[in-house]
Amino acid sequence: MHKTKGVCSSSVDDAARTMAAAGLVQRLAARDVELAEHSLATGAVAARLALQMGLEPPEIVEAALIGTLHEVGAIVVAPAALDGLGFASASEVLRVQRAERRAAVALVRATPAIADLADAVGSVFDDLVPTLTARIAIVADQFDYLTRWVPGQRGLSIGQAIVILERHAGVRYDRRVVQALAATYGSAARRLERQA
C-alpha cells in the first residue's frame, strides 16, 4: 500500500468512497427518509456479514457500500411510482423496478469515487450475482426489509427472518452468507425470544 502524507492510500480511498456514497444517500433521504434509513441499515448489516465471513477490509467496505447504494435509483425514479401502481400487473411493477435499477447504476457510475461499484449495485436486483460482496448485500437487504417496520405493517422478528432466508439459501441467497447471518444475529434472536 502506498503512503500519502502518513496516511495509507486505501484508507484515503475508502474515506472518499464512503463520502461519495453518503452524498447519494443524503439525496435519497431528501426524497424518502425511510428508504434512506433502509439503505444505511442494509450497508451496516452487509459490513457485519462480511466481517463474520472473514473478508479483508477492502471487501468489507465494498459490501457495505453496495448495500448502502442499492436503493439510490429512487433519487430519480420516485418511490411513489411503485406505490401509485396499486394493483398493477407484475410486468408494470417490474418495469418501474428496472427503471430504478438503471437509475441507481447510472448515478453510481457518474460518481467517480464509487463508479467501479455500478455493476455490483445493479446486480443486487439480478438472479445471477457475480460477486460475493453483492451477494452479501442481497442477504443484508432482504434481512433488513423483513425485519423493518413498514407503514401499517410490523416487521418480522429476527428469528423469523433468518428462517425465511435459510429456507431460500442455495436458491436465491448464497448459503454461506445466510449461514453468516444466522451466526451473527441468531444468538441475539434466541436471547430476545427467551425474554419475550
Side-chain angles (χ1 to χ4, degrees):
M1 279 183 212
H2 304 298
K3 292 256 184 185
T4 308
K5 295 184 182 174
V7 178
C8 192
S9 66
S10 68
S11 298
V12 173
D13 292 345
D14 288 347
R17 290 160 68 93
T18 301
M19 290 298 293
L24 287 175
V25 173
Q26 195 170 29
R27 288 175 59 195
L28 177 61
R31 297 282 308 239
D32 188 319
V33 172
E34 289 178 5
L35 200 53
E37 289 172 356
H38 163 66
S39 294
L40 291 170
T42 298
V45 171
R48 287 189 71 185
L49 296 181
L51 183 64
Q52 174 72 31
M53 294 178 73
L55 272 61
E56 295 295 321
E59 295 169 305
I60 295 169
V61 170
E62 184 172 298
L65 288 172
I66 293 167
T68 300
L69 293 166
H70 79 284
E71 295 284 4
V72 297
I75 293 169
V76 177
V77 179
L82 278 175
D83 295 339
L85 291 176
F87 294 102
S89 67
S91 64
E92 186 64 15
V93 171
L94 189 59
R95 183 190 63 74
V96 173
Q97 288 173 333
R98 284 183 179 150
E100 185 178 338
R101 173 190 171 200
R102 284 191 304 274
V105 169
L107 284 166
V108 173
R109 189 165 281 133
T111 309
I114 53 176
D116 62 310
L117 296 176
D119 290 335
V121 167
S123 74
V124 171
F125 300 96
D126 289 340
D127 289 332
L128 300 172
V129 182
T131 67
L132 177 58
T133 52
R135 292 194 302 270
I136 290 169
I138 287 172
V139 171
D141 172 43
Q142 287 304 302
F143 178 70
D144 185 68
Y145 174 77
L146 290 169
T147 57
R148 182 166 289 279
W149 283 80
V150 181
Q153 186 178 357
R154 182 178 177 191
L156 300 176
S157 72
I158 292 170
Q160 291 170 322
I162 289 171
V163 166
I164 288 170
L165 292 167
E166 285 176 333
R167 195 175 302 143
H168 298 284
V171 180
R172 175 67 176 116
Y173 308 115
D174 186 306
R175 187 175 307 282
R176 296 168 300 163
V177 180
V178 174
Q179 288 169 344
L181 179 78
T184 303
Y185 292 95
S187 60
R190 288 188 291 278
R191 191 170 52 252
L192 288 171
E193 287 168 0
R194 280 196 299 272
Q195 291 173 358

